[in-house]
Structures are given as structure tokens and as C-alpha cells.
């Protein structure tokens, strides 16, 4: 049975369900398993060619432990992925002799956030029902998490969902997906600020014990362990499809909050042989600079055509720092205190060297993104979105003899303006979203002020203790 600890060193050890309901640890840290469950090479081999849901059950069960009976977990996984429009859930498509796209956008909101969100909604609803509780979920979004959360939680009666997005900094499709559910338990707040402001507001709410208890606060941002866990599955599936565990492949991941690529690292920690993990950033290249120089140094957020990666505070990076430092929470605390105080920290040399053993990094500027969307169409007959293009562009500088898997995190129709500008093709929305622009929107615009936002949530949440 896996228990979980905080990256910041407080001594609580919690089970999966508690960790999922809490989101962030009370000391401000992120939860990680106390020890990594490891599958043997034979156990991996036995999963080759198995359906997504079966692989998911094998990967997820060791973390969930006895919180959920296995048969019930299996049903929940099957229900979560029945909402995907592709039978393979996350199909691989071939781009050229040795490069592959891992298509993660076949869920209801056509971005990869659905993969984790569809499952976590089911897991949370079950945990709350079992405990006879209700909960208020507050989530910050740079665009895609919000829509995925709305879609996943709009039918959960025990949960009120508040989504904070940066006003006028998400695409129209993204905003409409969040604001048109018509569900009584869903509230959208456009914050006058950027994504980091939204994320900071949510973190401050978690650190406010009073408020946290008043509204029974929960979080489903990628800091929530349950989301990372759900994302490990597609790394396993694609690796096994390309010859694993007897061969390895490299992965290039378009990265913002470091949740998706950290899931790749988890697969490795679980004993699956993995090649290089390549962090691909857009012009908000803090991670790329940090891995090269050892200095994590915040700049201003730049608005790009890949808004879901327009981030300077990459929360899940803390999980990697914890691992790469040899689980030294003092070192992590030191770095996080420095970040809070002076917007920067130094990664100690040994920790950095450990990181660079598993990871590499690159950045793609806006010209490269646009050129890559164009060349993917002409060379591989593939229309890709700008986030995918960031990864595909960066991957070209990291090719080896290993198969290269490029994570395709959004459907091109989610970012039609950038795709049209680069390729002259306007990607149509899939049928289930074709009336999106006729649906009625509902959201409120608030200043980036903690008191006003918390008051809004208290007024509208049905949970008030
Ligand atoms: C969220 C998102 C990313 C970045 O994922 P992280 O887990 O934050 O690194 C990349 N692409 C798209 C389309 C996204 O929605």
C-alpha cells in the first residue's frame, strides 16, 4: 500500500484518497509516494498489446492501494475512458521513419487534460460519497484545465467547481468550453491578470486554513497527485507499443507546469526503461534555461500562440527537485523560499546533474512553431496545434536512434487562428462541439484580489461550514 509524503518534509503520511482530496500538502509542498511501486520487466511485458483500460488498471492500482476495491476501480477507469472518441484512447500515429505523435486530444474537450480529469472526477465523487461529504474545487487554468474540469465535474452533485482563468488570455474556444456548461455547480471567474496570478490565488486559498475549512477546499490542478498518476498510463502504452520494455524511446513533451513530463519520469521510477525526456518550452523558456544554467529565474510571462504553456511558475518541477536532490526536503524548502522571496533560485550542482541524466530541454520561438505547423502538414500530412508544434520543433534537435515520441496535447481546432495563419487551413471543430459558438456563456470578471475572489466563492459555494 503506497503512502504519500510532502516534498517539504512534514511528517504526515497519507493514503491515496486523502492526498487526492487535499491536493496541496498543508506545508505548501506537493505529495509524492513514499516509495515508488516497481513493476518487473515481465509484468511490463505482460501488458504489451493490452487495451488502454487494462494498462491503466495495472499502473494505477499500486498507488490507489486498498482505498478502492480493484473491480470498482476497473469500472471507473472504463467509464472515464468511454468518453473518448478513439478506441485506443491515446493513439500513436507515425510522422516519419522514426518519429511518432502520441495523440492525447480525443477526449471531450479535445486537449490532453481530459485524460486525467475524466478519471479524477470519478475518483473524487466516489471518495466524497463514501465519506458523506461535499467539496468546493477551485482550479486555475491557462486554458485547457478549466474546460476539462467543467466537462468532468458538471455532473458531480457533491462538488461545486470554480475555475479561474486569466481574462482575455485564453483562446475563444477554450473560454467557451468553460463558460457554456449551463451547470448550476460550475462558476467561471476571469481574473484581471495572467495564469501565474490565478495559480497564486489558488495556492493562497490552500494556505488560508480558515477559508480552506469553510468551503471544504479541494484542488484538481496538476499539482494533484491523482492527475499525474493518470498521465503515466499513456507513456507506458506508447513505450510498450514501440518495443518496450526491451527497447526504449525518447519523449518530447510540450511543457508548462511540468505535470505531463513528470508523469514520464514516474513511469521510469516504476521500472519501465525510458530514453531521454525532453522538455519543450515556448518563449516562456524558464525550464529550458533552468536545465541549461542551473538558475531558475523568473521573467515576465509572454503571450504566445501556445497559451497553455505561458507559465513562469512551473509547480510540478518541485517534485523533480525533490527526487533529484535525493529527497532532500531541506534543499527543496531552501529553493522554494528563495523563489518566493526573490523570484529565483539556484539548483545545486549535484541535483542539476541528476536532472540532466534523465532530461534534456529546448525552446521553440513563434517562428519555429509556425514553420513546424507548416512542415508537419507538407511532410506528414498532419495538421497539428501550436503546443504540439513546440514539441515537434524541439524534438528535431534531440533525435537519436531511439524512436522519438512527440506528445500531441491539443486538437488543432482548439487554436484555429494560429493554425490558419501558419497553414492556411481553418481546422473545423469535431461534431460534438460544432455548436460551441452558439451556446450561452456565463462568467464573471474579478480583479486579482484575494479577498474579492474568496468572497465570491463563499457566496456561491453550496458548502459553507
Ligand atoms: C496544459 C497543457 C500543456 C502543458 O502541460 P503541463 O502538464 O502543464 O506541462 C501543454 N499543451 C496543452 C495543450 C495543454 O493544455
Amino acid at each position: 500500500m503506497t503512502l504519500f509524503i510532502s516534498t517539504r518534509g512534514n511528517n504526515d503520511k497519507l493514503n491515496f484518497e486523502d492526498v487526492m482530496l487535499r491536493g496541496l500538502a498543508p506545508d505548501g509542498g506537493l505529495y509524492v509516494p513514499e516509495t515508488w511501486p516497481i513493476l518487473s520487466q515481465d509484468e511490463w511485458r505482460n501488458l504489451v498489446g493490452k487495451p488502454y483500460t487494462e494498462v491503466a488498471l495495472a499502473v494505477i492500482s499500486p498507488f490507489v492501494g486498498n482505498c478502492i476495491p480493484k473491480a470498482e476501480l476497473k469500472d471507473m477507469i472504463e467509464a472515464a475512458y468511454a468518453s473518448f472518441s478513439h478506441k485506443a484512447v491515446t493513439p500513436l500515429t507515425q510522422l516519419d521513419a522514426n518519429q511518432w505523435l502520441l495523440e492525447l486530444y480525443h477526449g471531450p474537450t479535445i486537449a490532453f487534460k481530459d485524460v486525467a480529469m475524466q478519471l479524477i472526477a470519478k475518483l473524487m465523487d466516489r471518495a466524497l460519497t463514501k465519506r458523506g461529504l461535499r467539496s468546493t474545487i477551485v482550479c486555475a487554468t491557462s486554458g485547457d484545465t478549466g474546460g476539462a474540469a467543467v466537462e468532468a465535474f458538471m455532473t458531480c452533485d457533491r462538488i461545486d467547481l470554480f475555475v479561474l482563468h486569466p481574462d482575455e488570455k485564453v483562446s475563444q474556444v477554450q473560454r467557451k468550453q468553460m463558460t457554456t456548461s449551463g451547470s448550476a455547480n460550475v462558476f467561471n471567474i476571469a481574473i484581471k491578470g495572467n495564469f501565474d496570478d490565478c495559480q497564486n490565488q489558488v495556492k493562497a486559498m490552500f494556505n488560508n486554513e480558515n477559508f480552506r475549512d469553510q468551503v471544504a477546499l479541494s484542488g484538481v490542478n496538476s499539482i494533484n497527485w491523482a492527475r499525474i498518476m493518470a498521465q503515466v498510463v499513456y507513456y507506458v502504452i506508447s513505450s510498450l507499443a514501440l518495443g518496450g520494455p526491451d527497447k526504449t524511446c525518447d519523449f518530447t513533451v510540450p511543457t508548462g507546469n511540468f505535470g505531463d513530463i513528470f508523469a514520464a519520469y514516474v513511469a521510469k521510477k516504476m521500472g519501465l526503461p525510458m530514453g531521454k525526456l525532453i522538455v519543450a518550452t515556448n518563449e516562456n523558456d524558464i525550464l529550458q534555461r533552468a536545465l541549461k544554467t542551473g538558475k531558475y529565474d523568473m521573467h515576465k510571462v509572454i503571450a504566445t500562440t501556445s497559451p497553455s504553456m505561458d507559465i513562469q511558475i512551473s509547480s510540478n518541477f518541485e517534485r523533480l527537485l525533490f527526487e533529484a536532490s535525493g529527497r532532500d526536503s531541506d534543499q527543496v524548502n531552501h529553493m522554494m523560499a528563495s523563489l518566493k522571496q526573490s523570484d529565483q533560485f539556484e539548483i545545486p550542482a549535484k541535483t542539476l546533474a541528476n536532472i540532466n541524466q534523465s532530461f534534456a530541454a529546448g525552446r521553440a520561438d513563434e517562428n519555429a512553431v509556425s514553420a513546424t505547423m507548416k512542415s508537419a502538414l507538407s511532410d506528414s500530412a498532419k495538421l497539428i496545434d501550436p503546443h504540439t508544434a513546440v514539441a515537434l520543433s524541439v524534438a528535431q534537435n534531440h533525435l537519436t536512434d531511439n524512436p522519438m515520441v512527440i506528445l500531441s496535447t491539443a486538437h488543432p481546432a482548439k487554436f484555429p487562428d494560429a493554425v490558419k495563419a501558419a497553414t492556411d487551413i481553418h481546422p473545423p471543430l469535431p461534431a460534438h462541439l460544432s455548436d460551441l459558438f452558439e451556446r450561452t456563456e456565463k462568467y464573471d470578471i474579478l480583479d486579482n484580489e484575494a479577498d474579492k475572489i474568496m468572497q465570491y466563492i463563499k457566496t456561491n459555494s453550496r458548502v459553507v461550514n
Side-chain angles (χ1 to χ4, degrees):
M1 164 91 184
T2 305
L3 292 177
F4 294 82
I5 55 172
S6 164
T7 50
R8 307 247 175 125
N10 93 347
N11 287 323
D12 288 353
K13 289 180 190 171
L14 302 181
N15 71 18
F16 171 78
E17 221 171 66
D18 290 326
V19 160
M20 174 178 66
L21 291 175
R22 282 207 196 172
L24 199 66
D27 60 359
L30 278 64
Y31 288 112
V32 288
E34 187 185 22
T35 55
W36 293 105
I38 292 180
L39 274 67
S40 69
Q41 299 305 293
D42 275 344
E43 286 174 301
W44 293 122
R45 236 167 256 132
N46 284 337
L47 293 172
V48 173
K50 294 283 158 56
Y52 190 93
T53 50
E54 199 170 318
V55 177
L57 187 64
V59 169
I60 290 170
S61 299
F63 296 108
V64 170
N66 56 13
C67 288
I68 305 172
K70 209 155 176 177
E72 208 177 321
L73 181 60
K74 179 168 180 276
D75 289 347
M76 292 163 86
I77 290 172
E78 279 168 7
Y81 296 111
S83 65
F84 279 60
S85 64
H86 197 293
K87 280 237 161 59
V89 183
T90 58
L92 271 176
T93 54
Q94 192 157 9
L95 278 185
D96 78 357
N98 213 15
Q99 293 189 57
W100 307 76
L101 273 189
L102 178 55
E103 294 180 1
L104 303 176
Y105 53 72
H106 295 282
T109 70
I110 59 176
F112 91 98
K113 304 291 196 296
D114 289 324
V115 178
M117 212 63 89
Q118 286 293 316
L119 183 64
I120 197 176
K122 304 227 165 358
L123 295 169
M124 278 208 170
D125 204 35
R126 179 190 182 278
L128 292 170
T129 305
K130 194 175 96 184
R131 296 175 184 206
L133 296 175
R134 313 180 63 87
S135 176
T136 302
I137 291 179
V138 183
C139 111
T141 182
S142 55
D144 292 328
T145 299
V150 169
E151 192 64 40
F153 287 98
M154 59 190 250
T155 52
C156 293
D157 193 40
R158 294 188 165 269
I159 291 165
D160 290 321
L161 174 68
F162 294 80
V163 179
L164 278 57
H165 75 262
D167 189 29
E168 294 183 0
K169 293 195 175 66
V170 299
S171 85
Q172 266 203 66
V173 175
Q174 287 178 320
R175 197 189 67 232
K176 300 229 175 218
Q177 283 183 325
M178 295 187 255
T179 59
T180 59
S181 75
S183 283
N185 68 333
V186 172
F187 299 88
N188 287 282
I189 309 173
I191 301 284
K192 291 188 189 161
N194 59 38
F195 169 71
D196 288 332
D197 295 323
C198 297
Q199 183 165 253
N200 282 336
Q201 289 293 357
V202 174
K203 281 188 184 164
M205 288 178 215
F206 274 95
N207 290 328
N208 182 332
E209 221 169 299
N210 231 339
F211 179 77
R212 207 174 67 206
D213 294 345
Q214 268 180 331
V215 301
L217 189 63
S218 263
V220 292
N221 274 104
S222 63
I223 49 172
N224 194 308
W225 172 258
R227 279 190 54 194
I228 306 280
M229 174 190 79
Q231 291 171 218
V232 179
V233 179
Y234 49 71
Y235 288 100
V236 173
I237 286 260
S238 51
S239 183
L240 297 181
L242 294 172
D246 301 299
K247 285 202 251 167
T248 59
C249 42
D250 300 330
F251 289 91
T252 306
V253 186
T255 306
N257 231 341
F258 211 79
D260 198 1
I261 196 160
F262 189 77
Y265 186 70
V266 172
K268 184 170 174 162
K269 286 279 170 192
M270 292 178 77
L272 182 66
M274 303 275 274
K276 268 270 170 197
L277 308 179
I278 296 139
V279 175
T281 72
N282 64 23
E283 291 177 10
N284 297 286
D285 58 356
I286 186 161
L287 285 166
Q288 191 267 149
R289 286 183 284 114
L291 264 59
K292 293 235 147 83
T293 65
K295 190 164 178 185
Y296 189 101
D297 180 13
M298 279 174 60
H299 293 175
K300 258 181 90 91
V301 178
I302 304 166
T304 72
T305 51
S306 45
S308 303
M309 297 153 64
D310 291 348
I311 287 175
Q312 292 286 331
I313 304 174
S314 186
S315 301
N316 281 292
F317 193 52
E318 179 170 342
R319 286 189 162 110
L320 179 62
L321 292 170
F322 181 68
E323 289 301 320
S325 66
R327 301 200 144 202
D328 181 344
S329 47
D330 289 340
Q331 197 182 100
V332 172
N333 275 314
H334 192 78
M335 288 186 272
M336 292 304 131
S338 164
L339 181 65
K340 198 165 182 187
Q341 200 177 36
S342 56
D343 285 350
Q344 60 176 50
F345 60 84
E346 296 279 349
I347 306 172
K350 212 170 139 201
T351 302
L352 184 65
N354 280 340
I355 291 174
N356 284 327
Q357 261 178 21
S358 298
F359 291 87
R363 94 195 267 271
D365 64 21
E366 291 290 273
N367 286 334
V369 169
S370 164
T372 303
M373 285 192 271
K374 210 169 163 178
S375 62
L377 186 62
S378 59
D379 300 350
S380 314
K382 206 59 194 165
L383 203 56
I384 58 171
D385 99 290
H387 302 77
T388 307
V390 168
L392 183 57
S393 168
V394 169
Q396 304 317 305
N397 300 324
H398 295 270
L399 300 175
T400 66
D401 289 342
N402 283 347
M404 174 61 85
V405 179
I406 292 111
L407 272 67
S408 184
T409 48
H411 190 293
K414 206 149 184 181
F415 303 94
D417 298 344
V419 173
K420 164 97 172 131
T423 63
D424 216 27
I425 293 179
H426 184 93
L429 284 164
H432 74 279
L433 292 172
S434 57
D435 67 337
L436 186 64
F437 281 81
E438 282 109 67
R439 298 181 196 167
T440 312
E441 288 194 71
K442 185 188 130 203
Y443 67 101
D444 292 300
I445 303 172
L446 294 185
D447 289 329
N448 180 30
E449 284 175 29
D451 289 347
K452 283 191 188 158
I453 301 168
M454 286 193 286
Q455 192 52 52
Y456 177 99
I457 293 171
K458 275 197 271 190
T459 308
N460 288 292
S461 175
R462 289 171 298 175
V463 198
V464 179
N465 295 325

